[in-house]
Amino acid sequence: MKNLNRLIMAGTLAALVGLAPAKAAETYDIVISGGRVVDPETGLDGVRNVGIKGDRIAAVSEKALKGTRTIDAKGRVVSPGFIDMHAHGQSILAGRVQALDGVTTALELEAGMLPVGDYYKRLAAEGRPINYGASVNWANARIATFANLEPKDDLAWFEEAFARPDWQQEVATPEQLEKITAMVKEGLDEGGLGVGILIGYAPGTGHKEFFAINKLAAERGMPTFTHARYLSMLEPKSSFEGMQEIVAAAAGTGAHTHIVHMNSISLRDTDIIADLISNAQKQGLKVTTEAYPYGAGATGIGAAMFREDRWRERLGGVDASNFDVNGKRLTEEEFARLQAEAPATGTVIHFIELSDPKDMAILSKSVLFPGGVIASDGGDWLVDGKPIPQETWPLPENAWSHPRSAGTYARFLRMYLREQKAVSLIEAIRRVSYGPAHILEDAVPQMKLKGRIQKGADADIVIFDPETVGEQSDFDHPGRTSTGFSHVIVNGTLLVNDGELDTSVLPGKPVRNAVKAK
Ligand SMILES: [Zn+2]
C-alpha cells in the first residue's frame, strides 16, 4: 500500500510539471551515468543514468543517455541533495562549507528571520551557493515588542537583546501579544516557512502565548519549529515538561509542531521523551523531530544555564571536565576563573560523552528516532569571536564554529551507514534529503520538487562514495571540510566538481511559502 502510494505520487510529480517522455535522441545538459541512484519516495535503489536539462531532472533511465557533459558516477551513490532544516549560518561562506558536506538546501527554521521580506531581498541580491529560506522569527517579534524597536534580520541584533531580561522572563500583556502576533502574521505574508519559536531562550513566556502562536500557524496551514522550554533532567521546569508543551500545542491547535534538536534538549532523558513523541504520533498528531550526531553543544561559559541553582544536576551531572575551551578540557579552577573573569568565552559543552557506550546509545536513540531526520544546527564561522567576511574562501585555518557546521552529514553517513550499519542506504538518504522535504511539503509546495531523483524534480543532486565519505572537522579543527562528495549540483549547476568547489557560481534559489512562491 505504501509503495503503491509512492508510485502514484511519483507519477503525479511528472504530470505536475508537464514533462513529455524522454526521446532516445535527446541531448541533456548534464548526464550522470552509471551511479547507484537512490530515491526514497519511490523506493528506487539501483544503477541508473540521470539526465538534467536546465534546473530540472529530465530523465532517470536504465538506458544510456547523451549529454553535453557527462559525469561518470560508477561505484558511487547518486542522491537527492541534502536538506538542512536547521542552518543558522546563512552566509555565502557557511553555504559553501555545507555544500562540501552534501547540503544543497539550508533553511533557518529554528530561529527564523524578521523581517522576513528583508532577509529574502538581501540574500537574492547577494546570491547564495545553495538554496535558502527561513521561518518567521517569533523571538525577534517579542524583542521588538518589549523593547519598542524595529526588528532587524541580523544575528547581532538578536544577541545584543540578551542584555534585556524582560522579553526572556515576562508574560506579555494582551496588547503586547497582539503586536507580536501581528508581526508573525506579516512574516508569513512575506513568505516565511512557518514560525521559529526559540522559547527555550524566553522561558518566562506565557503558555497562552505559545498556544496562540501555534494556533495562528495552524490557521495558516504552516508548521512551527520549537527549541523547547528548559534544559534539565530535574523537575519542575524539565526538558520533558518543555516537550510536553509542544505535544500539547499540536493536540490543542492542530498545528504541525516540529521539535528541533531532540538530541541536545533531551540530555539523558531520551527514553521518556522518545516515548512521548512516538505515542503522540501514534495518536495522529503532527509532531516531527530532528537530531544532529554530536554529544556536545556550544555556547558562552557565562550562560544562565551554567549558573542557576543546582545547574550541574539539572544538566545530568556535569562538571568542569565536560567543558572544552580551544580544544582543551577544563579543571574546576579554570572553569571558575573563566566564568568570573571572561563569561563570554565560547565553550563546547559535552552534555553526553560519546566515549562512553551508554551515552553513545542515548545519542543514537535521537539520531535514529523512527521517522526523524538529520539537521545540523550549524552556525556561521568566526575568527577571534568575529564573523569572517562571507566572500572569504577557503575557510581560514583558525576558523571557529561547532564542527557540526562543516561535518554533520558526512559524519552521519560515516557513523550510522558505513561503520555501525544501523541504517540502510535508502533510509540514510531519507533522513538527510527526502525526509525534510516531506516534513515541509504540505506547507511549502516547492519542497515537493526537492529530495527526489525523479523526472521533473529540481536538479539538486549529490554524488558521493559511501566507502570514503566522512567528516574531517572535530572540536580541535572545526573548519576542516568533509570528504567523499565528488559532485554537488544545485538547480542544474555544478557547484562541486571532482571534489572542487566552484566559487564562480551562486546557483542557490529561495524557498518560500505558497503565498510568495510563484
Ligand atoms: Zn536551538
Side-chain angles (χ1 to χ4, degrees):
M1 189 60 200
K2 219 174 190 174
N3 276 334
L4 183 64
N5 273 339
R6 281 174 171 169
L7 286 173
I8 291 167
M9 283 168 78
T12 315
L13 180 56
L16 194 73
V17 293
L19 284 177
K23 285 171 245 131
E26 205 156 1
T27 303
Y28 299 92
D29 297 334
I30 301 175
V31 166
I32 302 166
S33 74
R36 182 175 171 186
V37 174
V38 178
D39 181 57
E41 187 183 37
T42 58
L44 171 66
D45 176 358
V47 173
R48 296 286 188 282
N49 303 301
V50 178
I52 297 170
K53 271 205 160 179
D55 56 5
R56 293 277 168 85
I57 294 171
V60 180
S61 173
E62 285 178 85
K63 289 190 206 118
L65 301 174
K66 217 175 109 201
T68 308
R69 176 171 204 163
T70 299
I71 298 166
D72 178 6
K74 224 164 281 152
R76 280 173 286 165
V77 172
V78 178
S79 162
F82 303 164
I83 298 166
D84 188 356
M85 295 178 62
H86 196 141
H88 298 302
Q90 288 285 307
S91 66
I92 291 173
L93 176 62
R96 285 177 171 156
V97 174
Q98 283 212 283
L100 289 165
D101 198 33
V103 177
T104 56
T105 300
L107 307 175
E108 163 55 285
L109 300 179
E110 182 206 37
M113 293 283 171
L114 195 81
V116 172
D118 289 1
Y119 158 82
Y120 280 108
K121 239 179 266 166
R122 180 168 57 84
L123 270 62
E126 295 171 352
R128 284 296 180 272
I130 59 179
N131 302 312
Y132 56 91
S135 66
V136 184
N137 189 324
W138 159 85
N140 272 11
R142 206 164 207 272
I143 293 163
T145 301
F146 276 81
N148 235 328
L149 289 170
E150 284 298 311
K152 266 196 193 162
D153 75 320
D154 175 0
L155 192 64
W157 186 87
F158 176 72
E159 281 172 348
E160 278 160 27
F162 275 96
R164 297 181 59 99
D166 51 3
W167 71 274
Q168 302 169 66
Q169 297 305 340
E170 291 175 22
V171 173
T173 64
E175 294 73 33
Q176 284 175 320
L177 182 54
E178 206 170 302
K179 274 181 88 174
I180 294 166
T181 310
M183 275 188 258
V184 170
K185 275 185 189 158
E186 198 179 326
L188 291 173
D189 289 341
E190 289 174 358
L193 309 174
V195 188
I197 309 182
L198 285 172
I199 203 164
Y201 291 84
T205 301
H207 293 284
K208 293 178 193 173
E209 178 173 340
F210 186 68
F211 180 82
I213 298 297
N214 276 283
K215 190 159 180 231
L216 165 63
E219 283 162 7
R220 298 287 190 105
M222 299 305 292
T224 58
F225 308 91
T226 304
H227 174 134
R229 235 189 262 255
Y230 313 131
L231 185 65
S232 171
M233 293 177 64
L234 293 187
E235 296 192 278
K237 298 188 177 178
S238 63
S239 297
F240 180 71
E241 194 180 322
M243 295 295 198
Q244 277 190 318
E245 180 180 35
I246 300 172
V247 169
T253 69
H256 168 191
T257 63
H258 181 82
I259 295 169
V260 305
H261 48 49
M262 172 188 174
N263 58 302
S264 61
I265 302 273
S266 298
L267 297 166
R268 289 188 183 84
D269 264 342
T270 314
D271 280 339
I272 189 170
I273 287 171
D275 197 29
L276 169 72
I277 300 170
S278 65
N279 282 317
Q281 291 172 333
K282 278 181 207 145
Q283 317 300 318
L285 296 182
K286 261 192 127 180
V287 180
T288 52
T289 192
E290 60 173 57
Y292 58 82
Y294 294 85
T299 189
I301 201 160
M305 68 178 120
F306 310 135
R307 290 177 182 275
E308 63 187 338
D309 192 34
R310 296 173 79 192
W311 69 270
R312 290 171 188 241
E313 252 180 287
R314 290 180 68 79
L315 297 180
V318 300
D319 61 34
S321 72
N322 296 100
F323 288 78
D324 181 317
V325 172
N326 294 326
K328 200 177 146 279
R329 298 295 182 115
L330 298 184
T331 63
E332 289 296 343
E333 291 73 37
E334 287 165 331
F335 180 84
R337 188 179 57 76
L338 285 169
Q339 254 205 348
E341 295 168 15
T345 303
T347 179
V348 164
I349 162 136
H350 296 264
F351 291 113
I352 55 174
E353 294 289 354
L354 300 186
S355 53
D356 177 345
K358 272 199 217 122
D359 276 3
M360 188 66 211
I362 287 170
L363 175 66
S364 296
K365 183 126 195 175
S366 292
V367 170
L368 302 174
F369 181 77
V373 300
I374 301 300
S376 77
D377 194 11
D380 230 316
W381 294 89
L382 310 173
V383 166
D384 298 328
K386 288 185 203 78
I388 300 171
Q390 65 169 350
E391 304 283 352
T392 307
W393 193 261
L395 200 54
E397 188 77 12
N398 58 343
W400 186 86
S401 187
H402 189 295
R404 64 193 173 200
S405 308
T408 293
Y409 292 89
R411 180 175 163 90
F412 168 68
L413 295 172
R414 172 184 68 78
M415 284 171 65
Y416 289 96
L417 176 66
R418 183 168 69 242
E419 291 176 3
Q420 298 182 19
K421 296 181 174 46
V423 286
S424 64
L425 178 61
I426 201 160
E427 170 60 9
I429 301 303
R430 187 199 65 75
R431 282 183 187 268
V432 296
S433 183
Y434 171 66
H438 189 58
I439 284 175
L440 293 169
E441 66 190 14
D442 286 346
V444 184
Q446 272 179 279
M447 298 309 287
K448 288 186 180 141
L449 300 181
K450 297 202 179 293
R452 282 118 167 141
I453 302 281
Q454 294 170 27
K455 193 160 103 176
D458 289 341
D460 295 338
I461 300 172
V462 169
I463 305 174
F464 68 92
D465 181 348
E467 298 306 319
T468 62
V469 70
E471 85 282 21
Q472 302 302 314
S473 63
D474 57 26
F475 291 100
D476 295 338
H477 315 96
R480 292 185 178 167
T481 53
S482 296
T483 50
F485 296 99
S486 63
H487 298 81
V488 178
I489 297 171
V490 177
N491 296 306
T493 298
L494 262 168
L495 178 62
V496 175
N497 190 13
D498 281 328
E500 287 297 317
L501 179 94
D502 182 351
T503 54
S504 72
V505 294
L506 293 171
K509 290 184 185 175
V511 177
R512 307 180 86 155
N513 70 22
V515 178
K516 282 286 171 184
K518 43 188 173 24

